[in-house]
Amino acid sequence: MKKLTSFAIVCGLSLLGASTTLTQTTYAKATQTTLGAGTYKVGTDIKPGRYTITAQSGSGNVTGSNDLNIILGDTTDDGLGQVDSYTMYLKKGAKVKIDGIESTDFTPVKKRAYQTELKAGQWVVGKDIKPGRYTIKATSGSGNLTSDEGINEILGTESDSDLGQVTQTTQTLHRGEVLNSDIEGIQLIKK
C-alpha cells in the first residue's frame, strides 16, 4: 500500500508540474512594445496579452483582428472620431495594421478592476465592469457603443437626430459580455 501511495504522489506532482509548464508556455505575458507604420502579427511581433494602445506622434488608423478598427492620435478629435488610446486583448495569431502613425506604443495592462469611467476599448463584464443595469453616458467624444449581446448605439456628448446619436443608453450588462467602445470617454451609472 505504501508503494501505491508514493506512486500516486509522484504522478500527482508530475502532472502538477506539467500543468504549470503548459500554462506558462500557452499564455505569454504582454510586454511593452513600440511599433511604426506597418502590418504585424501577434505572437511574432507583439506578445499576446491585454494592452493599451497609444500614438506617440501624429494620427492614423489602427485596424486588425478582433474588431480592431480605430482612428488613433496623440490628441483627441471629436470631428474625426479620433481617440488618444484604445484598450484590448490581442490574441496569438491576430493581425494589427498601423497606417499613418510614426510611433505607436502597446503598453501592457497590469491589473483589472471594476470601473465606471472607461476610455475607448474592449471591456469585459465581470472583469472590467461589474454585472448589472446601467445608464451609459458619453463624457467625451462620440462614436459607436456595441456589445456581443446586442447593444448597438451611436453615443456622443450631444444628441444628433440626423446621425441617430444619443447622449445615453440604459442597458443590462451580463457577466462575460464584451462592451466595445470607440468613444473617448463613457460613464456607467448604476441603476
Side-chain angles (χ1 to χ4, degrees):
M1 189 70 167
K2 285 185 180 181
K3 287 184 181 181
L4 184 57
T5 304
S6 297
F7 177 75
I9 290 171
V10 170
C11 286
L13 289 174
S14 295
L15 287 174
L16 188 64
S19 175
T20 303
T21 303
L22 180 64
T23 301
Q24 289 173 347
T25 57
T26 303
Y27 300 105
K29 292 189 178 195
T31 58
Q32 179 71 35
T33 304
T34 301
L35 301 169
T39 303
Y40 304 96
K41 187 173 181 182
V42 179
T44 304
D45 306 303
I46 307 166
K47 287 195 175 194
R50 188 161 176 80
Y51 291 92
T52 297
I53 305 167
T54 55
Q56 291 306 301
S57 60
S59 65
N61 296 312
V62 180
T63 58
S65 308
N66 303 332
D67 296 325
L68 179 60
N69 186 8
I70 58 169
I71 302 170
L72 186 69
D74 54 5
T75 60
T76 61
D77 185 331
D78 292 346
L80 291 175
Q82 179 174 299
V83 297
D84 64 5
S85 70
Y86 193 81
T87 301
M88 71 177 299
Y89 185 85
L90 296 173
K91 295 179 182 178
K92 185 175 183 177
K95 301 231 190 268
V96 176
K97 184 175 181 192
I98 302 169
D99 290 314
I101 307 172
E102 189 68 33
S103 179
T104 304
D105 281 345
F106 292 76
T107 305
V109 174
K110 300 286 184 189
K111 290 185 177 182
R112 292 177 91 165
Y114 290 154
Q115 303 173 57
T116 56
E117 300 278 336
L118 300 169
K119 300 220 7 117
Q122 295 178 353
W123 308 100
V124 180
V125 179
K127 290 186 178 182
D128 306 303
I129 304 166
K130 186 175 183 178
R133 189 158 176 79
Y134 295 91
T135 296
I136 304 170
K137 178 180 171 182
T139 57
S140 179
S142 63
N144 294 314
L145 179 72
T146 61
S147 83
D148 56 348
E149 292 202 18
I151 297 172
N152 187 7
E153 289 288 351
I154 302 171
L155 247 114
T157 55
E158 297 178 8
S159 63
D160 185 332
S161 58
D162 292 337
L163 293 175
Q165 179 173 296
V166 296
T167 58
Q168 64 185 30
T169 182
T170 300
Q171 302 288 335
T172 300
L173 302 177
H174 304 279
R175 185 170 300 283
E177 184 173 0
V178 178
L179 191 66
N180 297 295
S181 172
D182 62 6
I183 307 159
E184 180 62 28
I186 59 173
Q187 179 182 26
L188 284 72
I189 304 161
K190 188 86 167 147
K191 296 290 285 175

